[in-house]
Amino acid sequence: SSSTTPIKATLFPGDGIGPEIAESVKQVFTAADVAIDWDEHFVGTEVDPRTNSFLTWESLQSVLKHKVGLKGPMATPIGKGHRSLNLTLRKELNLYANVRPCYSLPGYKTRYDDVDLITIRENTEGEYSGLEHQVVKGVVESIKIITRKASMRVAEYAFLYAKTHGRKKVSAIHKANIMQKTDGLFLQCCDEVARKYPDIEYEKVVIDNCCMMLVKNPALFDVLVMPNLYGDIISDLCAGLVGGLGLTPSCNIGEDGIALAEAVHGSAPDIAGKNLANPTALLLSGVMMLRHLKLNKQAEQIHSAIINTIAEGKYRTADLGGTSTTTDFTKAICDHL
Amino acid sequence: SSSTTPIKATLFPGDGIGPEIAESVKQVFTAADVAIDWDEHFVGTEVDPRTNSFLTWESLQSVLKHKVGLKGPMATPIGKGHRSLNLTLRKELNLYANVRPCYSLPGYKTRYDDVDLITIRENTEGEYSGLEHQVVKGVVESIKIITRKASMRVAEYAFLYAKTHGRKKVSAIHKANIMQKTDGLFLQCCDEVARKYPDIEYEKVVIDNCCMMLVKNPALFDVLVMPNLYGDIISDLCAGLVGGLGLTPSCNIGEDGIALAEAVHGSAPDIAGKNLANPTALLLSGVMMLRHLKLNKQAEQIHSAIINTIAEGKYRTADLGGTSTTTDFTKAICDHL
Ligand SMILES: CC(C)[C@H](C(=O)O)[C@@H](O)C(=O)O
Ligand SMILES: CC(C)[C@H](C(=O)O)[C@@H](O)C(=O)O
């Protein structure tokens, strides 16, 4: 068993299937001798006035303190007057870049082979400003905000990511032919950062054309960086190419080295508590967290065990066309370690 | 040859490859004995102050008078102070719904079989309001406008289209979980119209999820209706499923029964004048125009001739992997009539 002092990390199991898939991560990490000491926080049952959401103040403090965490799905409770939990986390913790790798899983067949894309999404502003109002009856406005600050830091992150991960190209995705000022500013920032990385190919692609080309030939792209809503759309599109959000990890990057890895699929209340959930997205997000912590050996071990289990095809959850329970699938991964 | 009085229709050949593909349409229509008397208008070489664009006032009047037209690609000249030609047309002519059918072309293989989708895009407002400003240095805003009026008329159009074309389902695409007021109003209008069509299935789908599901299984969808930018994105994505914008037609619907069919691909200046362009999108748009004019017999004849020529595979332009010229491909279609 591991000899290093355990690293403290926040764990948000989340709602619905969250606790079951979080349990799977704990088991796999333990089996792989990963020394993580989880500081577990649940979504509250009442609005915490200090966060104006069902997230507790203590849970946010936990991430700020440990600077690393893993998050399952959170369903924002229906009702008015409190914010989406996912957005609260992103905004309160200033998680400015959302990194979503999408790669074909060997052995899990879709219409596409060898997809290998990294979507880097600005995560704090844009169409998610929350600024909306009625002008007159029947006329409403939403305001999209783009700032130089947020655009620069996500562009910097994207190029640094490309460089440190041996990636060849960064594509900035935009609709600056229509939104010349907002998307124009975003592109200006990308241009500026690109000049500092002459070894990395750089291109600008209009979002509509990008979606068409992704569907026709995803191999045209490598790292994609873009404003918030385009990132929301394109990361889901890319996930669809390789099988869906049940298979794709993500990690939110904040300032001061904060990283909150996150399964971005839903909480699937219909199958919650039934031992049917697929923990793959949360497991792969956990792997991203381990890589962030430079626990590369264990990250690769766990990654291979997940991939091999899926490729072998003997244990698969229902969403992948199998009949395995969450616990059987988890056990199979542990056996592959 | 045809015995009916020719119907007057506006023709905008457009820029780049536009004139060549417009010539192809004229030849095919003539070969099919379609009695259209084209009122041809070109993009001006100077800004017309009455339209504040390179489109002439006379060309807009022509569409308003004949109420029907066909449009090739128009490249907005680089420079400041005048508007995109495409947007000028949509706004000045109040072309409120953009209908983009996407269907697999028999004989032209992509990763997807039997795609059969209709995207109906709100075409006048939303993110295309043109309202943008700098708040302070480094902070810019774009304003998205959603009105009850425009949302109702596009929703009405979508359900009427579904009903008159024997379609089973309408999906309203939105991001109302984030833009509760704007996309919320759009959905409210769709809900309201849906209640008048109890025989048509109705669902609401968040845009990110829609893109993922389109890529995984396009057969889940039938008619899709949505605000402007989502329509821009999703119609290109759908075109990608069946081979790209070179193969997909579109038609803009305005008030007072105006219809302007349009090839939405670019003007491809690199191959302009070389007899290499693929006229399929403009031809299929021409077919949509004929259907609008209730010239169904000729529409179906031309449609079959196009499909059969592509399926036969002997004459294909370079973009479809062939070596035919525009004129050879056009002649082949005429021979199939
Ligand atoms: C749940 C929703 C608010 C969220 C988003 O729009 O960002 C989700 O789609 C995501 O991608 O994490
Ligand atoms: C050229 C551009 C302004 C246009 C749009 O964004 O609507 C195009 O992409 C389209 O779909 O017709």
Side-chain angles (χ1 to χ4, degrees):
Chain A
S1 137
S2 172
S3 56
T4 45
T5 331
I7 298 167
K8 282 229 169 203
T10 307
L11 178 63
F12 293 106
D15 301 309
I17 58 171
E20 294 160 80
I21 60 178
E23 183 56 37
S24 167
V25 172
K26 287 190 221 167
Q27 283 174 17
V28 171
F29 276 30
T30 302
D33 268 342
V34 178
I36 297 281
D37 181 7
W38 296 109
D39 180 14
E40 213 163 327
H41 287 267
F42 287 87
V43 176
T45 52
E46 275 170 47
V47 172
D48 184 326
R50 294 165 300 173
T51 63
N52 187 24
S53 90
F54 285 77
L55 284 170
T56 64
W57 178 254
E58 287 71 24
S59 67
L60 298 184
Q61 292 308 311
S62 168
V63 184
L64 290 171
K65 183 169 159 207
H66 306 314
K67 291 187 188 296
V68 65
L70 181 65
K71 173 190 169 291
M74 290 179 185
T76 297
I78 313 285
K80 300 253 148 113
H82 42 262
R83 291 184 294 174
S84 143
L85 304 182
N86 295 309
L87 301 193
T88 303
L89 273 168
R90 292 176 200 167
K91 291 204 178 180
E92 293 293 322
L93 300 174
N94 214 352
L95 300 171
Y96 66 85
N98 185 207
V99 183
R100 300 201 186 176
C102 273
Y103 41 90
S104 303
L105 294 188
Y108 186 69
K109 234 188 121 38
T110 70
R111 291 181 164 90
Y112 297 84
D113 304 316
D114 302 324
V115 174
D116 185 11
L117 300 164
I118 309 287
T119 299
I120 298 182
R121 164 183 182 183
E122 201 292 319
N123 218 13
T124 63
E125 58 179 30
E127 305 78 358
Y128 286 65
S129 71
L131 297 170
E132 293 190 291
H133 58 266
Q134 178 174 291
V135 181
V136 294
K137 203 165 162 16
V139 179
V140 287
E141 293 185 355
S142 298
I143 296 177
K144 165 174 169 175
I145 308 272
I146 298 286
T147 67
R148 179 172 162 84
K149 186 179 167 203
S151 304
M152 282 302 285
R153 67 183 175 181
V154 76
E156 298 274 13
Y157 187 82
F159 278 91
L160 187 64
Y161 183 99
K163 189 181 167 157
T164 54
H165 290 75
R167 296 272 168 174
K168 304 269 171 287
K169 184 163 85 167
V170 172
S171 308
I173 313 304
H174 68 95
K175 189 79 192 178
N177 49 340
I178 296 302
M179 282 162 281
Q180 297 179 5
K181 292 196 181 165
T182 48
D183 286 3
L185 175 57
F186 184 82
L187 285 186
Q188 251 174 47
C189 294
C190 291
D191 290 355
E192 211 173 307
V193 176
R195 283 195 289 273
K196 295 193 271 178
Y197 292 86
D199 296 343
I200 292 173
E201 198 187 326
Y202 169 58
E203 64 175 3
K204 292 174 259 206
V205 185
V206 182
I207 176 146
D208 46 341
N209 187 43
C210 178
C211 290
M212 186 172 79
M213 296 317 295
L214 276 171
V215 158
K216 285 184 73 171
N217 184 8
L220 292 172
F221 298 97
D222 188 345
V223 175
L224 302 100
V225 63
M226 64 207 88
N228 211 341
L229 182 66
Y230 308 155
D232 182 51
I233 293 171
I234 287 194
S235 61
D236 268 39
L237 189 166
C238 291
L241 302 176
V242 302
L245 292 180
L247 296 174
T248 53
S250 99
C251 190
N252 297 284
I253 303 296
E255 286 184 348
D256 305 317
I258 285 180
L260 180 62
E262 177 188 16
V264 294
H265 56 66
S267 59
D270 50 321
I271 60 160
K274 295 189 179 154
N275 199 17
L276 293 172
N278 179 0
T280 303
L282 195 64
L283 281 162
L284 291 176
S285 300
V287 169
M288 286 183 85
M289 188 190 95
L290 295 180
R291 289 195 188 121
H292 174 83
L293 291 169
K294 305 263 185 291
L295 297 175
N296 289 323
K297 205 181 116 243
Q298 284 140 316
E300 296 328 312
Q301 264 170 9
I302 295 173
H303 191 252
S304 300
I306 299 165
I307 298 292
N308 292 338
T309 304
I310 292 172
E312 201 187 48
K314 212 169 136 197
Y315 295 95
R316 282 187 184 175
T317 47
D319 59 320
L320 302 188
T323 56
S324 298
T325 60
T326 310
T327 43
D328 285 346
F329 179 68
T330 304
K331 192 173 170 304
I333 295 170
C334 294
D335 291 346
H336 272 90
L337 280 167
Chain B
S1 135
S2 173
S3 56
T4 44
T5 329
I7 298 168
K8 283 231 169 203
T10 307
L11 178 63
F12 293 106
D15 302 309
I17 58 171
E20 294 160 79
I21 60 177
E23 184 55 38
S24 167
V25 172
K26 287 189 223 168
Q27 283 174 16
V28 172
F29 276 30
T30 302
D33 268 341
V34 177
I36 297 281
D37 180 7
W38 295 109
D39 180 13
E40 214 164 327
H41 287 267
F42 287 87
V43 176
T45 53
E46 276 170 48
V47 171
D48 184 326
R50 294 165 299 173
T51 64
N52 187 25
S53 91
F54 286 76
L55 284 171
T56 63
W57 177 254
E58 287 72 23
S59 67
L60 298 185
Q61 293 307 313
S62 168
V63 184
L64 290 171
K65 183 169 159 207
H66 307 313
K67 292 188 188 296
V68 66
L70 181 65
K71 173 190 168 291
M74 291 179 183
T76 297
I78 313 283
K80 300 252 149 114
H82 42 261
R83 291 184 294 174
S84 145
L85 304 182
N86 295 309
L87 301 195
T88 302
L89 274 168
R90 292 176 200 167
K91 289 202 180 184
E92 293 293 323
L93 299 174
N94 214 352
L95 299 171
Y96 65 85
N98 186 207
V99 183
R100 299 200 187 177
C102 273
Y103 41 91
S104 303
L105 294 188
Y108 185 69
K109 231 188 123 38
T110 70
R111 291 182 166 91
Y112 298 83
D113 305 316
D114 302 324
V115 173
D116 185 11
L117 299 164
I118 309 288
T119 298
I120 297 182
R121 164 184 182 183
E122 199 294 318
N123 217 14
T124 63
E125 56 177 33
E127 307 77 359
Y128 287 65
S129 71
L131 298 170
E132 292 191 291
H133 58 266
Q134 178 176 290
V135 181
V136 295
K137 204 165 163 12
V139 179
V140 287
E141 292 185 355
S142 298
I143 296 177
K144 165 174 170 177
I145 308 271
I146 297 286
T147 66
R148 179 173 161 83
K149 184 179 169 205
S151 304
M152 282 303 286
R153 68 184 175 181
V154 76
E156 299 273 13
Y157 186 83
F159 277 91
L160 188 63
Y161 184 99
K163 188 181 169 156
T164 54
H165 290 74
R167 296 273 169 173
K168 303 270 172 288
K169 183 163 84 167
V170 172
S171 308
I173 313 304
H174 68 95
K175 189 78 191 177
N177 48 341
I178 296 301
M179 282 162 281
Q180 296 179 5
K181 292 197 180 165
T182 47
D183 287 3
L185 175 56
F186 183 82
L187 286 186
Q188 250 173 49
C189 294
C190 291
D191 289 356
E192 210 173 307
V193 176
R195 282 195 289 273
K196 294 193 272 178
Y197 291 86
D199 295 343
I200 292 173
E201 198 186 325
Y202 169 58
E203 64 174 3
K204 292 175 259 204
V205 185
V206 182
I207 176 149
D208 46 341
N209 187 43
C210 178
C211 290
M212 184 173 81
M213 296 316 296
L214 276 170
V215 158
K216 286 184 70 169
N217 185 8
L220 292 172
F221 297 98
D222 188 347
V223 175
L224 300 99
V225 62
M226 65 208 88
N228 212 338
L229 182 65
Y230 308 154
D232 182 51
I233 294 170
I234 287 194
S235 60
D236 269 39
L237 188 166
C238 291
L241 301 176
V242 302
L245 291 180
L247 296 173
T248 52
S250 100
C251 190
N252 296 284
I253 303 297
E255 285 183 350
D256 304 319
I258 285 181
L260 180 61
E262 176 187 17
V264 295
H265 55 67
S267 59
D270 51 319
I271 60 160
K274 295 188 178 153
N275 199 18
L276 292 172
N278 179 0
T280 303
L282 195 65
L283 281 162
L284 292 176
S285 300
V287 169
M288 285 184 84
M289 189 190 95
L290 296 181
R291 289 196 188 121
H292 173 84
L293 291 168
K294 305 263 183 293
L295 297 175
N296 290 323
K297 205 180 117 246
Q298 284 139 314
E300 296 326 314
Q301 262 169 10
I302 295 173
H303 191 252
S304 299
I306 299 165
I307 297 292
N308 292 338
T309 304
I310 293 172
E312 199 186 49
K314 213 168 139 197
Y315 296 95
R316 280 187 185 178
T317 47
D319 59 319
L320 301 189
T323 58
S324 299
T325 60
T326 310
T327 43
D328 285 346
F329 179 69
T330 304
K331 193 175 169 303
I333 294 169
C334 294
D335 291 345
H336 271 91
L337 280 166

